Every structure is written in structure tokens, then in C-alpha cells.
Coordinates of all heavy atoms in Angstrom, one line a residue:
M1073 N 0.9 -1.2 0.0 CA 0.0 0.0 0.0 C 0.9 1.2 0.0 O 1.9 1.3 0.7 CB -0.9 0.0 1.2 CG -1.9 1.1 1.3 SD -3.0 1.1 2.7 CE -3.9 -0.4 2.5
T1074 N 0.5 2.2 -0.8 CA 1.3 3.5 -0.9 C 1.1 4.3 0.4 O 0.1 4.1 1.1 CB 0.8 4.3 -2.1 OG1 -0.5 4.7 -1.9 CG2 0.9 3.5 -3.4
P1075 N 2.0 5.3 0.6 CA 1.8 6.1 1.8 C 0.5 6.9 1.8 O -0.2 7.0 2.8 CB 3.0 7.1 1.7 CG 4.1 6.3 1.0 CD 3.3 5.5 0.0
E1076 N 0.1 7.3 0.6 CA -1.2 8.0 0.5 C -2.4 7.0 0.7 O -3.4 7.3 1.3 CB -1.4 8.7 -0.9 CG -2.7 9.5 -1.0 CD -2.7 10.4 -2.2 OE1 -1.8 11.2 -2.5 OE2 -3.8 10.3 -2.9
G1077 N -2.2 5.8 0.2 CA -3.2 4.7 0.4 C -3.4 4.5 1.9 O -4.6 4.2 2.3
K1078 N -2.4 4.5 2.7 CA -2.5 4.3 4.1 C -3.3 5.4 4.8 O -4.1 5.2 5.7 CB -1.1 4.2 4.8 CG -0.3 3.0 4.4 CD 1.1 3.0 5.0 CE 1.8 1.7 4.5 NZ 3.2 1.7 4.9
V1079 N -3.1 6.7 4.3 CA -3.8 7.8 4.8 C -5.3 7.6 4.5 O -6.2 7.8 5.3 CB -3.3 9.1 4.3 CG1 -4.2 10.3 4.7 CG2 -1.8 9.4 4.8
K1080 N -5.6 7.2 3.2 CA -7.0 7.0 2.8 C -7.7 6.0 3.6 O -8.8 6.1 4.0 CB -7.0 6.7 1.3 CG -6.7 7.8 0.4 CD -6.7 7.3 -1.1 CE -6.4 8.5 -2.0 NZ -6.4 8.0 -3.4
K1081 N -7.0 4.9 3.9 CA -7.6 3.8 4.7 C -7.9 4.3 6.1 O -9.0 4.0 6.6 CB -6.6 2.6 4.8 CG -7.3 1.5 5.6 CD -6.4 0.2 5.6 CE -7.0 -0.9 6.4 NZ -8.0 -0.6 7.4
E1082 N -7.0 5.1 6.7 CA -7.2 5.6 8.0 C -8.4 6.5 8.0 O -9.3 6.4 8.9 CB -5.9 6.4 8.4 CG -5.9 6.9 9.8 CD -4.6 7.6 10.1 OE1 -3.5 7.3 9.6 OE2 -4.7 8.6 10.9
I1083 N -8.6 7.3 7.0 CA -9.7 8.2 6.9 C -11.0 7.4 6.7 O -12.0 7.7 7.3 CB -9.5 9.3 5.8 CG1 -8.4 10.2 6.1 CG2 -10.8 10.1 5.5 CD1 -7.9 11.1 5.0
K1084 N -11.0 6.4 5.8 CA -12.2 5.6 5.5 C -12.6 4.9 6.8 O -13.8 4.9 7.1 CB -11.8 4.5 4.5 CG -11.8 5.0 3.1 CD -11.4 3.9 2.1 CE -11.1 4.4 0.8 NZ -10.7 3.3 -0.2
D1085 N -11.7 4.4 7.6 CA -12.0 3.7 8.8 C -12.6 4.6 9.8 O -13.5 4.3 10.5 CB -10.7 3.0 9.4 CG -10.2 1.8 8.6 OD1 -11.0 1.4 7.7 OD2 -9.1 1.4 8.8
G1086 N -12.0 5.9 9.9 CA -12.6 6.9 10.8 C -14.0 7.3 10.5 O -14.8 7.4 11.4
L1087 N -14.2 7.6 9.2 CA -15.6 7.9 8.8 C -16.6 6.8 9.0 O -17.7 7.0 9.4 CB -15.5 8.4 7.3 CG -14.8 9.7 7.0 CD1 -14.7 9.8 5.4 CD2 -15.5 10.9 7.6
T1088 N -16.1 5.6 8.7 CA -17.0 4.4 8.9 C -17.4 4.3 10.4 O -18.5 4.1 10.8 CB -16.3 3.2 8.4 OG1 -16.1 3.3 7.0 CG2 -17.2 1.9 8.7
A1089 N -16.4 4.5 11.3 CA -16.7 4.4 12.7 C -17.7 5.4 13.2 O -18.4 5.1 14.1 CB -15.3 4.5 13.5
L1090 N -17.7 6.6 12.6 CA -18.6 7.6 12.9 C -20.0 7.4 12.3 O -21.0 8.1 12.6 CB -18.1 9.0 12.6 CG -16.9 9.5 13.3 CD1 -16.4 10.8 12.7 CD2 -17.2 9.6 14.8
G1091 N -20.1 6.5 11.3 CA -21.3 6.4 10.6 C -21.6 7.4 9.5 O -22.7 7.6 9.1
A1092 N -20.5 8.1 9.1 CA -20.6 9.1 8.1 C -20.8 8.5 6.7 O -20.2 7.4 6.4 CB -19.4 10.0 8.1
Y1093 N -21.6 9.1 5.8 CA -21.7 8.7 4.4 C -20.3 9.1 3.8 O -19.8 10.2 4.1 CB -22.8 9.5 3.7 CG -22.7 9.3 2.2 CD1 -23.2 8.2 1.6 CD2 -22.1 10.3 1.4 CE1 -23.2 8.0 0.2 CE2 -22.0 10.1 0.0 CZ -22.5 9.0 -0.5 OH -22.4 8.8 -1.9
Q1094 N -19.9 8.3 2.9 CA -18.6 8.6 2.2 C -18.7 8.0 0.8 O -19.2 7.0 0.5 CB -17.4 8.1 2.9 CG -17.4 6.6 3.3 CD -16.3 6.2 4.2 OE1 -15.1 6.4 3.9 NE2 -16.7 5.7 5.4
F1095 N -18.1 8.8 -0.2 CA -18.0 8.4 -1.6 C -16.6 8.7 -2.0 O -16.1 9.8 -1.9 CB -19.0 9.1 -2.4 CG -18.9 8.9 -3.9 CD1 -19.1 7.6 -4.4 CD2 -18.6 9.9 -4.7 CE1 -19.0 7.4 -5.8 CE2 -18.5 9.7 -6.1 CZ -18.7 8.4 -6.6
W1096 N -15.9 7.6 -2.5 CA -14.5 7.7 -3.0 C -14.5 7.4 -4.5 O -14.4 6.3 -4.9 CB -13.6 6.7 -2.3 CG -13.5 7.0 -0.8 CD1 -14.5 6.7 0.2 CD2 -12.4 7.6 -0.1 NE1 -14.0 7.1 1.4 CE2 -12.8 7.7 1.2 CE3 -11.2 8.1 -0.6 CZ2 -11.9 8.2 2.2 CZ3 -10.4 8.7 0.4 CH2 -10.7 8.7 1.7
P1097 N -14.7 8.5 -5.3 CA -14.8 8.2 -6.8 C -13.5 7.8 -7.4 O -12.4 8.2 -6.9 CB -15.3 9.5 -7.4 CG -14.8 10.5 -6.4 CD -14.9 9.9 -5.0
V1098 N -13.6 6.9 -8.4 CA -12.4 6.6 -9.1 C -12.3 7.4 -10.4 O -13.3 7.4 -11.2 CB -12.4 5.1 -9.5 CG1 -11.2 4.7 -10.4 CG2 -12.5 4.2 -8.3
Q1099 N -11.3 8.2 -10.5 CA -11.2 9.1 -11.7 C -10.9 8.3 -12.9 O -10.0 7.6 -13.0 CB -10.0 10.1 -11.5 CG -10.2 11.0 -10.2 CD -11.4 11.9 -10.3 OE1 -11.8 12.4 -11.3 NE2 -12.0 12.2 -9.1
T1100 N -11.8 8.5 -13.9 CA -11.7 7.7 -15.2 C -11.4 8.5 -16.4 O -11.2 8.0 -17.5 CB -13.0 6.9 -15.4 OG1 -14.1 7.9 -15.6 CG2 -13.3 5.9 -14.3
G1101 N -11.4 9.9 -16.2 CA -11.1 10.7 -17.3 C -12.4 11.3 -17.9 O -12.4 12.1 -18.9
F1102 N -13.5 10.8 -17.5 CA -14.8 11.3 -18.0 C -15.4 12.2 -16.9 O -15.3 12.0 -15.7 CB -15.8 10.1 -18.2 CG -15.3 9.2 -19.3 CD1 -14.7 8.0 -19.1 CD2 -15.5 9.6 -20.7 CE1 -14.2 7.2 -20.1 CE2 -15.1 8.8 -21.7 CZ -14.4 7.6 -21.4
G1103 N -16.1 13.2 -17.3 CA -16.8 14.1 -16.4 C -15.8 15.0 -15.7 O -14.7 15.1 -16.0
K1104 N -16.4 15.7 -14.7 CA -15.6 16.7 -13.9 C -14.6 16.0 -13.0 O -15.0 15.0 -12.3 CB -16.5 17.6 -13.1 CG -15.8 18.7 -12.4 CD -16.9 19.6 -11.7 CE -16.1 20.7 -11.0 NZ -17.1 21.6 -10.4
R1105 N -13.4 16.4 -13.0 CA -12.4 15.8 -12.1 C -12.6 16.4 -10.7 O -13.2 17.5 -10.5 CB -11.0 16.2 -12.5 CG -10.7 15.7 -13.9 CD -9.8 14.6 -14.1 NE -9.1 14.2 -13.0 CZ -7.8 13.8 -13.0 NH1 -7.2 13.7 -14.1 NH2 -7.3 13.3 -11.9
G1106 N -12.2 15.7 -9.7 CA -12.4 16.2 -8.3 C -11.4 15.7 -7.3 O -10.2 15.6 -7.6
I1107 N -11.9 15.5 -6.1 CA -11.0 15.2 -5.0 C -11.2 13.7 -4.6 O -12.0 13.0 -5.2 CB -11.3 16.1 -3.8 CG1 -12.8 16.1 -3.5 CG2 -10.8 17.5 -4.1 CD1 -13.1 16.9 -2.2
D1108 N -10.5 13.3 -3.6 CA -10.5 11.9 -3.2 C -11.8 11.4 -2.6 O -12.3 10.3 -2.9 CB -9.4 11.6 -2.2 CG -8.0 11.6 -2.8 OD1 -7.9 11.2 -3.9 OD2 -7.1 12.1 -2.1
C1109 N -12.4 12.2 -1.7 CA -13.6 11.8 -0.9 C -14.6 12.9 -0.7 O -14.2 14.0 -0.4 CB -13.1 11.2 0.5 SG -14.5 10.7 1.5
Y1110 N -15.9 12.5 -0.9 CA -17.0 13.4 -0.6 C -17.7 12.7 0.5 O -18.1 11.5 0.4 CB -17.9 13.5 -1.8 CG -17.1 14.1 -3.0 CD1 -16.4 13.3 -3.9 CD2 -17.1 15.5 -3.2 CE1 -15.7 13.8 -4.9 CE2 -16.4 16.0 -4.3 CZ -15.7 15.2 -5.1 OH -15.0 15.7 -6.2
A1111 N -17.9 13.4 1.7 CA -18.6 12.7 2.8 C -19.7 13.7 3.3 O -19.7 14.9 3.0 CB -17.5 12.5 3.9
C1112 N -20.5 13.1 4.1 CA -21.6 13.8 4.8 C -21.6 13.3 6.2 O -21.7 12.1 6.5 CB -22.9 13.7 4.1 SG -24.2 14.7 4.8
Y1113 N -21.6 14.3 7.2 CA -21.7 13.9 8.6 C -22.4 15.0 9.3 O -22.1 16.2 9.2 CB -20.2 13.8 9.2 CG -20.2 13.3 10.6 CD1 -20.7 12.1 11.0 CD2 -19.7 14.2 11.6 CE1 -20.6 11.7 12.3 CE2 -19.7 13.8 12.9 CZ -20.2 12.6 13.3 OH -20.1 12.2 14.6
K1114 N -23.5 14.6 10.1 CA -24.3 15.5 10.8 C -24.8 16.6 9.9 O -24.9 17.8 10.3 CB -23.6 16.0 12.0 CG -23.3 15.0 13.1 CD -22.8 15.6 14.4 CE -22.6 14.5 15.4 NZ -22.1 15.0 16.7
G1115 N -25.2 16.2 8.7 CA -25.8 17.2 7.8 C -24.8 18.1 7.1 O -25.3 19.0 6.4
R1116 N -23.6 18.0 7.3 CA -22.6 18.8 6.6 C -21.8 18.0 5.5 O -21.4 16.9 5.7 CB -21.5 19.3 7.6 CG -22.0 20.3 8.7 CD -22.5 21.7 8.1 NE -21.5 22.4 7.4 CZ -20.6 23.2 7.9 NH1 -20.6 23.4 9.2 NH2 -19.7 23.9 7.2
M1117 N -21.6 18.7 4.4 CA -20.8 18.2 3.3 C -19.4 18.4 3.6 O -19.0 19.5 4.0 CB -21.2 18.9 2.0 CG -20.2 18.8 0.9 SD -20.4 17.2 0.1 CE -19.5 17.5 -1.4
I1118 N -18.6 17.4 3.4 CA -17.1 17.5 3.7 C -16.4 16.9 2.5 O -16.6 15.8 2.0 CB -16.7 16.6 4.9 CG1 -17.5 17.0 6.1 CG2 -15.2 16.8 5.2 CD1 -18.1 15.9 6.9
G1119 N -15.5 17.8 1.9 CA -14.7 17.4 0.8 C -13.3 17.1 1.4 O -12.7 17.9 2.1
I1120 N -12.7 15.9 1.1 CA -11.4 15.5 1.6 C -10.5 15.1 0.5 O -10.8 14.3 -0.3 CB -11.6 14.3 2.6 CG1 -12.6 14.6 3.6 CG2 -10.2 13.9 3.1 CD1 -13.1 13.3 4.4
E1121 N -9.3 15.8 0.5 CA -8.2 15.4 -0.4 C -7.1 14.8 0.5 O -6.5 15.5 1.3 CB -7.7 16.6 -1.2 CG -6.5 16.3 -2.1 CD -6.8 15.1 -3.1 OE1 -7.9 15.0 -3.6 OE2 -5.9 14.4 -3.4
A1122 N -6.9 13.5 0.4 CA -5.8 12.8 1.2 C -4.5 13.0 0.5 O -4.3 12.9 -0.7 CB -6.2 11.4 1.3
K1123 N -3.5 13.3 1.4 CA -2.1 13.4 0.9 C -1.2 12.6 1.9 O -1.5 12.5 3.1 CB -1.6 14.9 0.9 CG -2.4 15.7 -0.1 CD -2.0 15.3 -1.5 CE -2.7 16.1 -2.6 NZ -2.5 15.6 -3.9
R1124 N -0.1 12.1 1.4 CA 0.8 11.4 2.2 C 1.3 12.3 3.3 O 1.3 13.6 3.2 CB 2.0 10.8 1.4 CG 2.8 11.8 0.7 CD 3.9 11.1 -0.1 NE 4.9 12.1 -0.6 CZ 4.9 12.6 -1.8 NH1 3.9 12.3 -2.6 NH2 5.8 13.5 -2.1
A1125 N 1.8 11.7 4.4 CA 2.2 12.5 5.6 C 3.3 13.6 5.3 O 3.3 14.7 5.8 CB 2.7 11.6 6.7
E1126 N 4.2 13.2 4.4 CA 5.3 14.2 4.0 C 5.1 14.5 2.5 O 5.1 13.6 1.7 CB 6.7 13.5 4.2 CG 6.9 13.0 5.7 CD 7.6 14.1 6.5 OE1 8.3 14.9 5.9 OE2 7.4 14.0 7.7
G1127 N 5.1 15.8 2.2 CA 5.0 16.2 0.9 C 3.6 16.1 0.3 O 2.6 16.0 1.0
G1128 N 3.5 16.0 -1.0 CA 2.3 15.9 -1.7 C 1.6 17.2 -1.7 O 1.2 17.8 -0.7
R1129 N 1.4 17.8 -2.9 CA 0.8 19.1 -3.1 C -0.5 19.0 -3.8 O -0.7 18.0 -4.6 CB 1.7 20.0 -3.9 CG 3.0 20.3 -3.1 CD 3.9 21.3 -3.9 NE 4.3 20.7 -5.1 CZ 5.0 21.3 -6.1 NH1 5.2 22.6 -6.0 NH2 5.3 20.7 -7.2
L1130 N -1.4 19.9 -3.6 CA -2.7 20.0 -4.3 C -2.5 20.4 -5.7 O -1.7 21.3 -6.0 CB -3.6 21.0 -3.6 CG -4.2 20.7 -2.3 CD1 -5.0 21.8 -1.8 CD2 -5.0 19.4 -2.3
S1131 N -3.2 19.8 -6.6 CA -3.3 20.2 -8.0 C -4.2 21.4 -8.1 O -5.0 21.7 -7.1 CB -3.8 19.1 -8.9 OG -5.2 18.9 -8.7
T1132 N -4.2 22.1 -9.1 CA -5.1 23.3 -9.3 C -6.6 22.8 -9.3 O -7.4 23.4 -8.6 CB -4.9 23.9 -10.7 OG1 -3.5 24.4 -10.7 CG2 -5.8 25.1 -10.9
I1133 N -6.9 21.6 -9.9 CA -8.2 21.1 -9.9 C -8.7 20.8 -8.5 O -9.8 21.1 -8.1 CB -8.3 19.8 -10.8 CG1 -8.2 20.3 -12.3 CG2 -9.6 19.1 -10.6 CD1 -8.0 19.1 -13.2
Q1134 N -7.8 20.1 -7.7 CA -8.1 19.8 -6.3 C -8.4 21.0 -5.5 O -9.4 21.1 -4.7 CB -7.0 19.0 -5.7 CG -6.9 17.6 -6.3 CD -5.6 16.9 -6.0 OE1 -4.6 17.6 -5.6 NE2 -5.5 15.6 -6.1
R1135 N -7.6 22.0 -5.6 CA -7.7 23.3 -4.9 C -9.0 24.0 -5.3 O -9.8 24.4 -4.4 CB -6.5 24.2 -5.2 CG -6.5 25.5 -4.3 CD -5.2 26.4 -4.5 NE -4.2 26.0 -5.5 CZ -3.2 25.1 -5.3 NH1 -3.1 24.5 -4.2 NH2 -2.3 24.9 -6.2
E1136 N -9.4 24.0 -6.6 CA -10.6 24.6 -7.0 C -11.8 23.8 -6.5 O -12.8 24.4 -6.0 CB -10.7 24.7 -8.5 CG -9.7 25.7 -9.1 CD -9.6 25.6 -10.6 OE1 -10.2 24.7 -11.3 OE2 -8.9 26.5 -11.2
C1137 N -11.8 22.5 -6.5 CA -12.9 21.7 -6.0 C -13.1 22.0 -4.5 O -14.3 22.2 -4.1 CB -12.6 20.2 -6.3 SG -14.0 19.2 -5.9
L1138 N -12.1 21.9 -3.7 CA -12.2 22.2 -2.3 C -12.8 23.6 -2.1 O -13.7 23.8 -1.2 CB -10.9 22.0 -1.6 CG -10.4 20.6 -1.4 CD1 -9.0 20.6 -0.8 CD2 -11.3 19.8 -0.6
G1139 N -12.3 24.6 -2.9 CA -12.8 25.9 -2.8 C -14.3 26.0 -3.1 O -15.1 26.8 -2.4
E1140 N -14.8 25.3 -4.1 CA -16.2 25.3 -4.5 C -17.0 24.7 -3.3 O -18.1 25.2 -3.1 CB -16.4 24.5 -5.7 CG -15.9 25.2 -7.0 CD -16.0 24.3 -8.2 OE1 -16.7 23.3 -8.2 OE2 -15.4 24.7 -9.3
I1141 N -16.5 23.7 -2.7 CA -17.3 23.1 -1.6 C -17.4 24.1 -0.4 O -18.5 24.2 0.1 CB -16.6 21.8 -1.1 CG1 -16.8 20.7 -2.2 CG2 -17.1 21.3 0.2 CD1 -15.9 19.4 -2.0
V1142 N -16.3 24.7 -0.1 CA -16.3 25.7 1.0 C -17.2 26.9 0.6 O -18.0 27.3 1.5 CB -14.9 26.2 1.3 CG1 -14.9 27.4 2.3 CG2 -14.1 25.1 1.9
A1143 N -17.2 27.4 -0.6 CA -18.0 28.5 -1.0 C -19.5 28.1 -1.0 O -20.3 29.0 -0.7 CB -17.7 28.9 -2.5
A1144 N -19.8 26.9 -1.1 CA -21.2 26.4 -1.0 C -21.7 26.1 0.4 O -22.8 25.6 0.6 CB -21.4 25.2 -1.9
G1145 N -20.8 26.3 1.4 CA -21.1 26.1 2.8 C -20.7 24.8 3.4 O -21.0 24.5 4.5
G1146 N -19.9 24.0 2.6 CA -19.4 22.8 3.1 C -18.0 23.0 3.8 O -17.5 24.1 3.9
I1147 N -17.4 21.9 4.1 CA -16.1 21.8 4.7 C -15.1 21.2 3.7 O -15.4 20.2 3.2 CB -16.1 21.0 6.0 CG1 -17.1 21.6 7.0 CG2 -14.7 20.9 6.6 CD1 -17.4 20.7 8.2
G1148 N -14.0 21.8 3.5 CA -13.0 21.3 2.7 C -11.7 21.1 3.5 O -11.3 22.0 4.2
V1149 N -11.1 20.0 3.3 CA -9.9 19.7 4.1 C -8.9 18.9 3.3 O -9.2 18.0 2.6 CB -10.2 18.9 5.4 CG1 -10.9 17.6 5.2 CG2 -9.0 18.8 6.3
V1150 N -7.6 19.3 3.5 CA -6.5 18.5 3.0 C -6.0 17.7 4.2 O -5.7 18.2 5.2 CB -5.3 19.3 2.4 CG1 -4.2 18.5 2.0 CG2 -5.8 20.2 1.3
A1151 N -6.1 16.3 4.1 CA -5.8 15.5 5.2 C -4.6 14.6 5.0 O -4.4 13.9 4.0 CB -7.0 14.6 5.5
R1152 N -3.7 14.7 6.0 CA -2.5 13.9 6.0 C -2.6 12.7 7.0 O -1.7 11.9 7.1 CB -1.3 14.7 6.2 CG -1.1 15.7 5.1 CD 0.2 16.6 5.3 NE 0.2 17.6 4.3 CZ 0.5 17.5 3.0 NH1 0.8 16.3 2.5 NH2 0.5 18.5 2.2
C1153 N -3.7 12.8 7.8 CA -4.0 11.7 8.7 C -5.5 11.9 9.1 O -6.1 12.9 8.8 CB -3.1 11.8 10.0 SG -3.4 13.3 10.9
W1154 N -6.1 10.9 9.8 CA -7.5 10.9 10.2 C -7.7 12.1 11.1 O -8.8 12.8 11.0 CB -7.8 9.6 10.9 CG -9.1 9.7 11.8 CD1 -9.2 9.6 13.1 CD2 -10.4 10.0 11.3 NE1 -10.5 9.8 13.5 CE2 -11.3 10.1 12.4 CE3 -10.9 10.3 10.0 CZ2 -12.6 10.3 12.3 CZ3 -12.3 10.6 9.9 CH2 -13.1 10.6 11.1
E1155 N -6.8 12.5 12.0 CA -7.0 13.6 12.9 C -7.3 14.9 12.2 O -8.0 15.7 12.7 CB -5.8 13.7 13.9 CG -6.1 14.5 15.1 CD -7.3 14.0 15.9 OE1 -7.6 12.8 16.0 OE2 -8.1 14.9 16.4
D1156 N -6.7 15.1 11.0 CA -6.9 16.3 10.2 C -8.4 16.4 9.9 O -8.9 17.5 9.8 CB -6.1 16.3 9.0 CG -4.6 16.5 9.2 OD1 -4.2 17.0 10.3 OD2 -3.8 16.2 8.3
V1157 N -9.0 15.3 9.6 CA -10.4 15.3 9.2 C -11.3 15.4 10.5 O -12.2 16.2 10.6 CB -10.8 14.0 8.5 CG1 -12.3 13.9 8.3 CG2 -10.1 13.8 7.2
R1158 N -10.9 14.7 11.5 CA -11.7 14.7 12.8 C -11.8 16.1 13.4 O -12.8 16.5 13.9 CB -11.0 13.7 13.8 CG -11.8 13.6 15.1 CD -13.1 12.8 14.8 NE -13.9 12.8 16.0 CZ -15.1 13.3 16.1 NH1 -15.7 13.9 15.0 NH2 -15.8 13.3 17.2
E1159 N -10.7 16.9 13.2 CA -10.7 18.2 13.8 C -11.7 19.2 13.2 O -12.1 20.1 13.8 CB -9.3 18.9 13.6 CG -8.2 18.2 14.6 CD -6.9 18.8 14.3 OE1 -6.7 19.6 13.4 OE2 -5.9 18.4 15.1
V1160 N -12.1 18.9 11.9 CA -13.0 19.9 11.2 C -14.4 19.4 11.2 O -15.3 20.1 10.7 CB -12.5 20.1 9.8 CG1 -11.1 20.8 9.7 CG2 -12.6 18.9 8.9
L1161 N -14.7 18.2 11.7 CA -16.1 17.7 11.7 C -16.9 18.4 12.7 O -16.5 18.9 13.7 CB -16.1 16.2 12.0 CG -15.4 15.3 11.0 CD1 -15.5 13.8 11.5 CD2 -16.0 15.4 9.6
P1162 N -18.2 18.6 12.3 CA -19.2 19.2 13.2 C -19.4 18.4 14.5 O -19.2 17.3 14.6 CB -20.5 19.4 12.4 CG -20.3 18.4 11.3 CD -18.9 18.1 11.1

């Protein structure tokens, strides 16, 4: 498993433990590109882009997508571990 894959698994497990809805789309080249995870918890939309613990930068598309989620009243987070997500949840 890649370093980013480990972070994604940690986030998936954390969201599952809370009972949050989560959707992890597989980018296929069709439609609008986006981020790693779209979740909903306690009525709030959360956009999550997982990055490995060291390094890993956002692409322009990822930055724009998170910005659109925040502008619409949701929560956008770049997560390098589960705690990064847990800190922003309602």
C-alpha cells in the first residue's frame, strides 16, 4: 500500500466508525475531475483530499474543487491523517 493509500484507509476507517456517508470516486477521465472523498456527517458536506504525511501538493483542480465546496457552505480539508479530518467535523 502506498503512503497516500495508508492515509486514505485511516480516513475511511474513521468515517465508517462515525457512521458518516462517504464516496470515494475513481477518476476515469470522464466528467468533472475532483477530490478523493466526498462525505456527509451530521448534515454537513465534507470534501477531503488525502495526501501522504510528508510532501504531496494539491493540484489546481483539487484546490478549485475544495474551494467550491467551501463556497457552497461545506467543509474542505487536505488530510495527511485521520485527525486532520476529525478536527474539522461538526
